[in-house]
């Protein structure tokens, strides 16, 4: 692996901070009596194994970790797992997970994430359905690398598996908690758990989480970045015999928030036009945490579901498992996407999106064991319906803004001339209420059959073989209604006036201006005899002028489908596999060699940039389907295929646990989804790869103190990507480093436990470092970079009577970095970005009872 000198330098500068935190914690930890590390059980292979014996690259966050660090939802797991990265964009629901730099899925309902999220074995097909504050967690497992053998098409880059506690059949317990924090945050949580009888148990939990925003709207209205969410979750557990267990789960979460604040990174030439029409913005201030918005963004979504898991021991060596689930996600978003106080877009429908997703899943597994092997076979069925309506409509100020950009003043610009030449009344172009509304549907049906077997070749050598066959079919409809007259006007079209066919409207006007003659064929021919090349020169000038004017035609129409050329159907299938050889080198040290593949089916572009493929242009034109200003890009991104080779070492002694993984991972046809300033470019990269090393150390030198150190070192690369989205319109990104992928990520943590009177206490500190990288491929690196150096900490006391008190702080050093960036919407030459959340802190009071 070749790491850049910059990455190594950044890594070296962070080591001192890491060691300082560990050293301070060591000085606090007084007793010198060693304590045996707690054993951690995981189900990454869909059967219980210890973390140290399972030959899979997996990170585990325990319930204590989650409680001590004030982790409320899975977005904040990135502060505990260095291989995980989470990006939140213009709404809470548009959150994207990456593992080892691989992942996508935000901002487009037609794209399933490459990192699969499972909660209690149930797949959450979109991130928004997995963001509720999770109660009674046992642990969270993050599986790194493709996991398609056991998890199917939803795990080409990795898996986040959340496991909650089952209802108790022994005793009734519960707790209530109140958290108050900065920005008037109030969190109330409660749960109760216990038996109805010896064979029936229940649990019921609920939460309410409210916080004001931290990003001020200087034009009035709510501050952005607020939280306003609540949810309930209930479980029933039936255990009529030792051989049978049935678990019912029902949940509901509701979010109604104003997210998220966007900063102006570079105020380009359009900034003056915004001010000229009475708007405003905070220019060139990435971390001012304030801006101007002509309305408060709306981010509302509700998610609910029910599931039933049956575990039936058919005999002493064979178990049948069934997981059935039905889930729904309803979303409504309306965002001020120009991020200024000018009413460029209609506040009621600025970037309005309504989405309904209904998902049904069914999994069957039959597992068993003999003296020399463990085996599992299974089948999985997935059925989903997506309905989406999205639109962008101009506001009252957009035409005046366009007049200024085209070299005039409001009410008098070149647009007036164009309107006259094309026979339109003054003010027709880009009037308030004009725009684009898209209605789309997608039906996705998939099934998988899979199997895996672990064979003990000897007392210390185990061979694992696994395979999965998946078939996925999608049927999509797309109906786009474009009412933007200007974007529907073909500025290059010929036009016939008074029986005379002009090469173009603009050519005729320019010819007359240059020669004082009417642009008749006879006059054009005469001028060519007098001054050869005049027509070509005029045409070239016209073409250049039109190209500039086309920049405002960013809501151009498209072709609806299915049609006679495009069926709106894709059907993909693939067989993925896993081969792994594990060695028990000693009773304390294990090693493994593994290779595996992953698969994700076709992802469809359900955004306003859904357009026919270039290879379909001839057929589209022959069928008479073409529309003015039709751009040929992509309807969908073809399947992606991932491969990983890995060497791992896992060791556990009384006080130290060490996990190492060296990996070489790539994805053929990686599905890239990049915001270009007017929409999203969905395209397949030829190949994207990452080679790296992961280190995870837990150390408990005394009963009072435990430390951990996690680090990821990577060398990411676009081996081939000729149709990407780069700075200045560059499309060939082959040989470049993928955007936003850190070569060095280090996480250090130290926890000291103590006794104070009749209370048990702890102090904990966490430090996350990620080296400096460009944020996104199509924003210049000198404008948008990301480097993370964040400290979180907490301290708490727990008394024997069940009361607990915890003081916590996140981003205590007020670290500032961008989570994402993009070319500003309808503001050529300007760039915008999402700043991270500033420092927050709070106090939690909890009462447990039994």
């Amino acid at each position: 692996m070749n790491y850049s000198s910059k990455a190594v330098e950044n890594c070296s500068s962070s080591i001192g901070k890491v060691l300082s935190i560990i050293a301070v914690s060591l000085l606090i930890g007084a007793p010198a009596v060693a304590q045996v590390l707690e054993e951690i059980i995981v189900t990454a292979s869909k059967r219980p194994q210890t973390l140290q014996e399972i030959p899979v690259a997996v990170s585990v966050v325990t319930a204590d970790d989650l409680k001590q660090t004030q982790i409320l939802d899975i977005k904040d797991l990135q502060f505990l797992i260095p291989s995980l990265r989470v990006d939140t964009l213009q709404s809470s629901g548009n959150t994207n997970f990456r593992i080892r730099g691989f992942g996508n899925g935000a901002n487009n309902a037609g794209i399933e994430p490459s990192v699969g999220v499972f909660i209690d074995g149930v797949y959450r097909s979109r991130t928004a359905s997995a963001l509720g504050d999770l109660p009674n967690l046992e642990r969270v497992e993050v599986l790194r690398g493709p996991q398609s053998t056991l998890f199917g098409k939803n795990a080409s880059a990795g898996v986040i598996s959340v496991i909650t506690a089952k209802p108790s059949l022994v005793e009734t317990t519960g707790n209530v908690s109140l958290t108050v924090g900065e920005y008037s945050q109030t969190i109330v949580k409660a749960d109760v758990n216990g038996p109805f009888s010896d064979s029936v148990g229940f649990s019921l939990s609920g939460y309410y989480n409210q916080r004001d925003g931290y990003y001020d709207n200087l034009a009035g209205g709510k501050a952005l970045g607020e939280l306003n969410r609540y949810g309930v979750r209930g479980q029933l557990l039936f255990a009529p015999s030792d051989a049978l267990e049935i678990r019912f789960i029902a949940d509901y979460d509701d979010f109604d928030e104003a997210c998220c604040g966007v900063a102006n990174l570079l105020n380009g030439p359009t900034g003056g036009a915004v001010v000229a029409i009475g708007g405003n913005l905070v220019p060139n201030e990435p971390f001012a945490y304030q801006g101007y918005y002509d309305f408060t963004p709306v981010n509302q979504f509700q998610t609910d579901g029910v599931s039933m898991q049956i575990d039936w021991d058919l005999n002493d060596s064979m178990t049948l498992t069934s997981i059935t689930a039905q889930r729904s996600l309803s979303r409504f978003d309306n965002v001020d996407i120009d991020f200024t106080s000018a009413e460029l877009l209609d506040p009621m429908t600025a970037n309005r999106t309504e989405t309904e997703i209904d998902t049904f899943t069914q999994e069957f597994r039959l597992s068993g064991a003999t003296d020399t092997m463990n085996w599992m076979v299974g089948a999985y069925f997935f059925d989903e319906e997506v309905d989406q309506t999205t639109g962008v409509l101009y506001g009252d100020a957009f035409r005046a803004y366009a007049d200024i950009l085209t070299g005039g003043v409001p009410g008098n610009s070149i647009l007036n001339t164009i309107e006259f030449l094309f026979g339109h009344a003054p003010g027709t172009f880009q009037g308030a209420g004009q725009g684009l509304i898209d209605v789309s549907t997608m039906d996705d049906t998939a099934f998988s059959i899979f199997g895996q077997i672990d064979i003990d070749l000897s007392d210390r050598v185990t061979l694992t073989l696994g395979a999965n066959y998946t078939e996925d079919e999608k049927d999509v409809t797309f109906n786009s209604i474009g009412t933007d007259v200007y974007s529907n006007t073909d500025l290059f079209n010929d036009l016939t006036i008074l029986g005379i066919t002009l090469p173009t409207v603009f050519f005729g006007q320019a010819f007359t201006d240059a020669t004082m003659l009417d642009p008749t064929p006879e006059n054009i021919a005469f001028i060519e005899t007098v001054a050869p090349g005049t027509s070509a020169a005029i045409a070239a000038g016209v073409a250049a002028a039109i190209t500039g004017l086309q920049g405002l035609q960013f809501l151009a129409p498209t072709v609806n489908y299915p049609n006679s050329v495009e069926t709106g159907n894709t059907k993909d299938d693939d067989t993925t596999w896993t081969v792994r050889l594990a060695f028990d080198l000693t009773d304390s040290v294990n090693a493994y060699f593994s290779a595996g593949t992953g698969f994700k089916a076709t992802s469809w572009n359900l955004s306003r940039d859904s357009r026919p493929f270039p290879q379909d242009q001839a057929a589209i034109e022959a069928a008479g389907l073409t529309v003015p200003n039709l751009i040929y890009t992509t309807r969908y991104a073809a399947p992606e295929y991932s491969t990983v080779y890995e060497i791992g070492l896992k060791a556990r002694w009384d006080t130290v646990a060490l996990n190492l993984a060296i990996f070489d991972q790539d994805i053929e046809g990686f599905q890239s989804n990049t915001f270009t300033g007017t929409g999203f470019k969905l395209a397949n990269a030829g190949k994207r790869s990452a080679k790296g090393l992961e280190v995870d150390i837990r150390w408990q030198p005394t009963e009072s103190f435990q430390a951990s150190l996690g680090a990821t070192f990577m060398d990411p690369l676009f081996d081939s990507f000729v149709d990407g989205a780069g700075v200045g319109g560059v499309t060939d990104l082959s040989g470049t480093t993928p955007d936003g992928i850190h070569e060095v990520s280090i996480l250090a943590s130290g926890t000291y436990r103590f006794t104070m009177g009749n209370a048990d206490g702890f102090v904990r500190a966490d430090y996350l470092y990620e080296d400096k990288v460009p944020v996104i491929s199509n924003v210049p690196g000198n404008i948008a970079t990301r480097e993370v150096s964040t400290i979180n900490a907490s301290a708490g006391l727990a008394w024997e009577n069940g009361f607990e008190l915890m003081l916590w702080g996140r981003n205590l050093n007020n670290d500032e970095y961008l989570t994402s960036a993009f070319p500003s919407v309808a503001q050529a030459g300007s760039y915008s970005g999402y700043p991270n959340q500033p420092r927050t802190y709070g106090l939690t009071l909890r009462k447990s009872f039994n």
Side-chain angles (χ1 to χ4, degrees):
M1 284 170 284
N2 295 316
Y3 302 112
S4 68
S5 59
K6 185 68 172 178
V8 174
E9 178 184 342
N10 290 338
C11 176
S12 299
S13 67
S14 70
I15 295 298
K17 300 176 184 178
V18 175
L19 294 178
S20 296
I21 291 176
I22 294 177
V24 169
S25 300
L26 280 171
L27 290 173
I28 296 174
V33 180
Q35 175 74 14
V36 176
L37 278 170
E38 179 184 358
E39 194 78 82
I40 297 176
I41 303 297
V42 298
T43 54
S45 59
K46 297 197 174 182
R47 64 184 180 91
Q49 292 177 277
T50 68
L51 176 61
Q52 296 310 124
E53 72 180 356
I54 184 171
V56 175
V58 55
S59 299
V60 177
V61 180
T62 66
D64 280 347
D65 293 328
L66 294 164
K67 185 167 70 172
Q68 291 175 359
T69 56
Q70 190 65 7
I71 297 291
L72 295 179
D73 60 43
I74 59 178
K75 290 189 299 183
D76 284 337
L77 289 176
Q78 63 182 320
F79 294 102
L80 298 177
I81 300 172
S83 293
L84 177 66
R85 166 84 184 281
V86 184
D87 303 317
T88 298
L89 305 178
Q90 74 264 33
S91 74
S92 301
N94 288 321
T95 296
N96 189 39
F97 296 97
R98 302 187 194 184
I99 295 177
R100 292 176 174 171
F102 295 100
N104 51 37
N107 278 304
N108 198 322
I111 305 176
E112 290 177 85
S114 298
V115 175
V117 178
F118 293 77
I119 298 180
D120 289 325
V122 175
Y123 175 54
R124 304 294 180 98
S125 67
R126 300 299 185 277
T127 304
S129 65
L131 294 181
D133 295 7
L134 298 171
N136 275 339
L137 285 177
E138 283 193 355
R139 65 188 180 279
V140 179
E141 302 174 8
V142 177
L143 286 66
R144 307 188 294 271
Q147 306 293 328
S148 291
T149 297
L150 295 181
F151 293 91
K153 72 186 181 79
N154 313 309
S156 58
V159 164
I160 299 174
S161 179
V162 179
I163 297 96
T164 67
K166 295 180 182 179
S168 174
L169 297 177
V170 179
E171 62 177 347
T172 299
T173 61
N175 72 75
V176 293
S177 67
L178 171 65
T179 297
V180 292
E182 197 174 13
Y183 304 109
S184 302
Q185 184 166 36
T186 301
I187 305 173
V188 180
K189 302 179 74 171
D191 69 81
V192 61
N193 179 344
F196 284 131
S197 68
D198 292 342
S199 60
V200 181
F202 79 98
S203 69
L204 181 64
S205 61
Y207 71 90
Y208 170 76
N209 185 352
Q210 187 279 331
R211 185 195 69 197
D212 294 342
Y214 56 82
Y215 197 100
D216 293 331
N217 182 2
L218 300 180
K222 288 184 179 180
L224 280 67
E226 72 166 8
L227 297 178
N228 188 10
R229 54 184 70 174
Y230 67 89
V232 293
R233 194 172 197 266
Q235 296 191 57
L236 283 176
L237 179 66
F238 296 89
S241 71
D242 292 339
L244 179 62
E245 183 177 277
I246 304 173
R247 185 183 185 189
F248 292 96
I249 303 174
D251 63 85
Y252 174 83
D253 293 279
D254 187 287
F255 289 59
D256 185 359
E257 303 176 348
C259 178
C260 299
V262 170
N264 177 272
L265 307 181
L266 178 65
N267 187 24
T270 59
V274 169
V275 174
I277 60 173
N280 212 335
L281 71 161
V282 178
N284 310 312
E285 288 288 345
F287 302 105
Y289 292 100
Q290 57 185 16
Y292 290 87
Y293 300 85
D294 55 296
F295 69 93
T296 300
V298 178
N299 309 132
Q300 299 173 344
F301 57 94
Q302 298 82 38
T303 179
D304 60 82
V306 293
S307 67
M308 177 180 69
Q309 178 169 338
I310 302 173
D311 293 295
W312 184 16
D313 294 336
L314 302 178
N315 54 43
D316 291 341
S317 61
M318 190 179 302
T319 300
L320 175 65
T321 298
S322 169
I323 303 177
T324 308
Q326 175 70 50
R327 298 208 58 81
S328 297
L329 172 65
S330 178
R331 287 188 57 178
F332 173 76
D333 298 288
N334 192 29
V335 181
D336 183 10
I337 56 174
D338 62 83
F339 307 109
T340 74
S341 60
E343 196 172 299
L344 301 183
L345 301 175
D346 179 6
M348 299 300 295
T349 56
N351 190 30
R352 184 186 181 104
T353 301
E354 297 178 72
T355 307
E356 299 284 341
I357 302 178
D358 294 304
T359 309
F360 173 80
T361 57
Q362 173 64 59
E363 181 177 7
F364 292 106
R365 297 198 305 266
L366 185 64
S367 59
T370 68
D371 292 340
T372 59
M373 70 176 64
N374 290 281
W375 57 269
M376 178 188 299
V377 294
Y380 182 79
F381 176 75
F382 173 91
D383 183 71
E384 183 169 82
E385 295 181 358
V386 178
D387 294 277
Q388 177 175 274
T389 301
T390 182
V392 178
L393 303 181
Y394 296 127
D396 291 337
F398 194 90
R399 174 55 191 265
Y401 174 71
D403 283 339
I404 294 173
L405 294 183
T406 53
V409 295
N412 184 16
S413 72
I414 193 172
L415 292 178
N416 298 81
T417 302
I418 300 172
E419 286 169 334
F420 171 77
L421 291 174
F422 280 86
H424 295 299
T428 299
F429 286 162
Q430 297 178 320
Q434 295 183 23
L436 199 64
I437 296 176
D438 299 325
V439 179
S440 56
T441 68
M442 183 173 73
D443 293 333
D444 182 2
T445 303
F447 73 89
S448 300
I449 53 175
F450 59 90
Q452 184 165 295
I453 185 170
D454 300 324
I455 305 170
D456 294 334
L457 301 180
S458 72
D459 290 342
R460 292 189 175 274
V461 181
T462 301
L463 173 66
T464 299
L465 301 173
N468 178 303
Y469 173 76
T470 294
E471 185 173 289
D472 181 278
E473 183 171 7
K474 292 182 171 76
D475 290 292
V476 184
T477 68
F478 191 85
N479 183 34
S480 180
I481 304 169
T483 59
D484 178 5
V485 179
Y486 183 61
S487 290
N488 281 272
T489 300
D490 188 346
L491 302 182
F492 279 104
N493 262 1
D494 293 345
L495 187 67
T496 299
I497 297 178
L498 300 177
I500 302 174
T501 300
L502 307 178
T504 69
V505 173
F506 293 122
F507 178 89
Q509 183 69 37
F511 183 87
T512 299
D513 290 344
T515 65
M516 309 294 266
L517 299 174
D518 293 332
T520 64
E522 294 78 13
N523 287 339
I524 293 172
F526 169 72
I527 290 298
E528 285 299 307
T529 63
V530 177
T534 298
S535 296
I538 293 174
V542 167
I546 291 177
T547 299
L549 292 171
Q550 284 179 314
L552 286 172
Q553 294 182 314
F554 54 84
L555 296 182
T558 186
V559 176
N560 296 327
Y561 65 88
N563 55 54
S564 59
V565 177
E566 302 170 296
T567 65
N569 171 271
T570 53
K571 188 173 183 179
D572 310 308
D573 65 272
D574 190 53
T575 299
T576 56
W577 51 265
T578 297
V579 177
R580 187 163 53 238
L581 198 59
F583 305 86
D584 294 338
L585 302 180
T586 70
D587 292 342
S588 302
V589 181
N590 307 318
Y592 67 90
F593 302 91
S594 70
T597 62
F599 162 72
K600 189 174 85 165
T602 295
S603 289
W604 282 80
N605 191 352
L606 300 187
S607 77
R608 59 180 171 269
D609 289 296
S610 174
R611 306 188 184 282
F613 289 101
Q615 58 265 35
D616 290 332
Q617 180 172 354
I620 291 287
E621 292 174 351
L625 297 172
T626 188
V627 294
N629 299 322
L630 180 59
I631 302 170
Y632 292 88
T633 53
T634 63
R635 291 292 197 192
Y636 56 79
E640 60 181 35
Y641 304 91
S642 53
T643 304
V644 66
Y645 299 96
E646 197 166 285
I647 300 173
L649 178 72
K650 296 199 169 189
R652 183 179 185 276
W653 298 277
D654 286 345
T655 61
V656 177
L658 170 66
N659 296 331
L660 297 174
I662 301 173
F663 63 89
D664 185 349
Q665 183 174 333
D666 65 65
I667 293 184
E668 300 276 356
F670 175 77
Q671 296 173 356
S672 170
N673 188 46
T674 305
F675 186 63
T676 60
T678 55
F680 291 88
K681 182 170 185 178
L682 178 62
N684 290 101
K687 181 180 179 181
R688 209 184 107 179
S689 64
K691 300 176 176 66
L693 166 68
E694 294 165 329
V695 182
D696 185 7
I697 303 172
R698 287 186 301 136
W699 179 41
Q700 186 156 349
T702 74
E703 185 177 1
S704 303
F705 176 73
Q706 181 171 313
S708 65
L709 178 66
T712 300
F713 305 90
M714 287 199 304
D715 185 17
L717 181 69
F718 274 127
D719 302 78
S720 174
F721 194 7
V722 297
D723 192 27
V727 177
V730 173
T731 59
D732 191 350
L733 302 180
S734 303
T736 64
T737 299
D739 52 272
I741 310 302
H742 297 278
E743 292 181 330
V744 179
S745 299
I746 298 174
L747 176 67
S749 175
T751 303
Y752 172 63
R753 299 180 183 276
F754 59 90
T755 300
M756 180 182 294
N758 62 348
D760 294 326
F762 77 90
V763 177
R764 174 171 178 145
D766 297 270
Y767 171 70
L768 175 65
Y769 168 80
E770 294 177 319
D771 68 323
K772 191 174 183 178
V773 295
V775 172
I776 196 74
S777 61
N778 60 344
V779 176
N782 63 324
I783 295 174
T785 58
R786 169 188 165 101
E787 182 177 15
V788 180
S789 181
T790 299
I791 297 174
N792 301 323
S794 58
L797 292 171
W799 287 269
E800 294 177 354
N801 59 6
F803 278 100
E804 299 178 48
L805 187 67
M806 185 175 75
L807 178 67
W808 53 269
R810 305 188 61 79
N811 192 12
L812 288 177
N813 55 328
N814 223 14
D815 187 24
E816 296 178 338
Y817 55 87
L818 296 174
T819 62
S820 189
F822 55 93
S824 303
V825 178
Q827 299 168 70
S830 294
Y831 295 94
S832 301
Y834 295 93
N836 70 311
Q837 181 175 294
R839 176 175 50 237
T840 57
Y841 49 84
L843 183 69
T844 298
L845 176 64
R846 180 180 293 107
K847 174 64 169 73
S848 301
F849 58 88
N850 52 30

